[in-house]
């Protein structure tokens, strides 16, 4: 067996920090690089700058082995065999397209240090064609460094699990050599039975956006069915259960409610549309416009429900919002439907108090004018109505009768179809969920 590969991970945000700790866990020497000194200092101390279950323990354990280190100095990766690019590709400020500034500067920064024969493997989600374009640039600045694309499918809240036990590994490569290097990195996962898919560069880039578009479509599909159920007096939760038993459909990602948010799904479908437009293939993705519109409409529908339950004029009301993160087990509030709804209700004149087990600090940064509570009790006391918008386990475990003793009005809107309706109704609550008849 040849010498163990050395790995660099460029960009130590959510994806990069997880990838660096996990690759170190596979037994490799890993150097994590970021231009943000504060982030590097924090990670070096074993402190995660964000919340992700299980990752903090893994980070501390890997730092202790001595295999994992962090730096702002790109030159420190000069002897690495593989450089993983894990920087963000957010939505551009002035269009639907992805902003590729960070990917481009990561490659430009590492190129002068990357040793001859090493491999750069992009993990960031990029518009199709990016890898080929960057390969051409790299060919000039670092002719003996190859570029591959190895998309990441990790979910927030399950990042470690998804990295160490992925349901597939996809590599876009232009040579057997590049594929073999990546096979060496992922050997233990491949040995454990993880399916391995070799693709060309454009296909590898497309796999990621196609997967996220499919997931977004599934969610918007069930939310469209929720709208129909409301109009026809049906129950979307029963409908989802019934269609989900068909294995061709499957029951996951059919949870109707206020829709998808986060740092991936919304921006990825928009960037995909923008890229299809550039490619002259927009017709193929017209449906994604509708997927986006259904998703945005779900947020508005909740506000309409609040108005229907209280009054058109919301200025006299105190509303309690349970949940600010875009999904449970995360402190991420990027494009969070919960927080967006809270802000819109506040803009409509009501007094809104938001609670979240982990995301308050991030929520405050985005909406400093909202009111925040540190406990559920503080959040709901004196409220005219409660909105349940992020399905944290602790909200499912609340006692409806204990909460009833604190509120002014016993009305709850379940924006996630995750609460036990019977339990709340028996305790004397008016219960309204998207896609179901209110009781
Ligand atoms: C997603 C993809 O799942 C992951 O593979 C990719 O790498 C990154 O984007 P993530 O953003 O962490 O992961 O969240 P995900 O679990 O997919 O949820 C996205 C949003 O959809 C959340 O706001 C969630 O609340 C919502 N959702 C999910 C629903 O509204 N209904 C569902 O049935 C499932």
């Amino acid at each position: 067996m040849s010498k163990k590969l050395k790995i660099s991970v460029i960009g130590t945000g959510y994806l990069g920090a997880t990838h660096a700790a996990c690759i170190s866990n596979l037994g490799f020497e890993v150097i994590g690089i970021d231009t943000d000194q504060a982030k590097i200092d924090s990670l070096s101390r074993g402190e995660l700058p964000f919340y992700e279950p299980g990752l903090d323990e893994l980070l501390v354990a890997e730092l202790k082995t001595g295999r994992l280190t962090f730096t702002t100095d790109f030159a420190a990766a000069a002897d690495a065999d593989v450089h993983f690019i894990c920087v963000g590709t957010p939505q551009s400020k002035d269009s639907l397209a992805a902003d590729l500034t960070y990917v481009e500067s990561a490659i430009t920064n590492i190129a002068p240090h990357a040793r001859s024969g090493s491999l750069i493997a992009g993990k960031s989600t990029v518009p199709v064609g990016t890898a080929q374009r960057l390969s051409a640039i790299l060919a000039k600045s670092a002719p003996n460094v190859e570029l591959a694309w190895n998309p990441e499918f990790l979910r927030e809240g399950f990042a470690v699990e998804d990295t160490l036990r992925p349901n597939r590994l996809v590599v876009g490569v232009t040579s057997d050599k590049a594929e073999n290097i990546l096979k060496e990195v992922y050997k233990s996962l491949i040995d454990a039975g993880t399916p391995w898919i070799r693709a060309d560069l454009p296909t590898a880039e497309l796999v990621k956006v196609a997967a996220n578009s499919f997931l977004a479509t599934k969610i918007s599909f069930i939310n469209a069915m929720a709208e129909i159920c409301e109009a026809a007096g049906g129950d979307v939760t029963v409908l989802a259960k019934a269609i989900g038993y068909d294995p061709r459909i499957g029951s996951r990602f059919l949870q109707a409610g206020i829709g998808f948010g986060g740092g991936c799904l919304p921006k990825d479908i928009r960037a995909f549309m923008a890229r299809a437009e550039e490619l002259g293939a927009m017709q193929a993705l017209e449906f994604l416009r509708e997927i986006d519109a259904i998703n945005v409409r779900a947020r508005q529908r909740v506000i309409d429900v609040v108005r229907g339950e209280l009054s058109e004029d919301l200025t006299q009301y105190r509303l309690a919002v349970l949940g600010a993160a875009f999904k449970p087990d995360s402190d991420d509030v990027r494009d969070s439907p919960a927080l967006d709804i809270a802000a819109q209700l506040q803009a409509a004149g009501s007094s809104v108090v938001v609670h979240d087990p982990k995301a308050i600090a991030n929520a405050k940064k985005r909406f400093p004018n909202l009111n925040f509570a540190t406990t559920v009790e503080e959040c709901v006391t004196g409220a005219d109505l409660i909105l349940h918008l992020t399905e944290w386990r602790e909200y499912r475990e609340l006692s409806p009768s204990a909460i009833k003793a604190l509120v002014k009005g016993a009305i709850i809107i379940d924006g996630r179809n995750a609460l036990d309706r019977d339990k709340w109704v028996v305790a004397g609550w008016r219960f309204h969920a998207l896609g179901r008849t209110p009781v």
Side-chain angles (χ1 to χ4, degrees), residues 19 21-22 32 39 123 133 197 200 231 245 287 311 316 347 423:
H19 195 63
C22 288
K39 207 180 269 179
K123 293 196 79 66
R133 183 171 60 79
I197 294 162
D200 52 30
Y245 277 119
F287 74 97
S311 131
Q316 300 303 315
K423 216 169 87 175

Side-chain angles (χ1 to χ4, degrees), residues 47-106:
E47 289 165 18
L48 270 189
F50 52 85
Y51 174 70
E52 175 61 36
L55 184 57
D56 36 7
E57 290 94 328
L58 185 70
L59 173 68
V60 171
E62 294 309 318
L63 285 169
K64 265 193 197 138
T65 65
R67 286 191 300 265
L68 177 63
T69 51
F70 293 95
T71 179
T72 54
D73 180 12
F74 283 81
D79 61 346
D81 303 288
V82 187
H83 307 276
F84 284 105
I85 306 290
C86 294
V87 293
T89 51
Q91 187 175 331
S92 298
K93 291 208 169 50
D94 48 6
S95 77
L96 293 184
D99 176 356
L100 295 177
T101 320
Y102 303 113
V103 172
E104 283 161 7
S105 69

Side-chain angles (χ1 to χ4, degrees), residues 158-192:
F158 298 90
V160 174
E161 173 70 16
D162 285 352
T163 307
L164 290 178
R165 276 167 288 278
N167 45 32
R168 78 287 210 193
L169 285 161
V170 179
V171 294
V173 290
T174 49
S175 73
D176 290 343
K177 180 178 164 234
E179 182 184 15
N180 289 336
I181 293 176
L182 289 169
K183 273 190 167 162
E184 206 173 320
V185 175
Y186 294 120
K187 184 175 183 308
S188 56
L189 309 187
I190 298 167
D191 289 349

Side-chain angles (χ1 to χ4, degrees), residues 153-154 156 208 219 253-255 260-261 264 326-327 416:
F153 305 100
L154 62 81
E156 297 194 13
K208 175 62 191 260
I219 299 168
F253 270 66
L254 285 183
Q255 188 82 14
F260 56 82
C264 290
F326 85 103
K327 69 172 194 181
R416 289 295 185 181

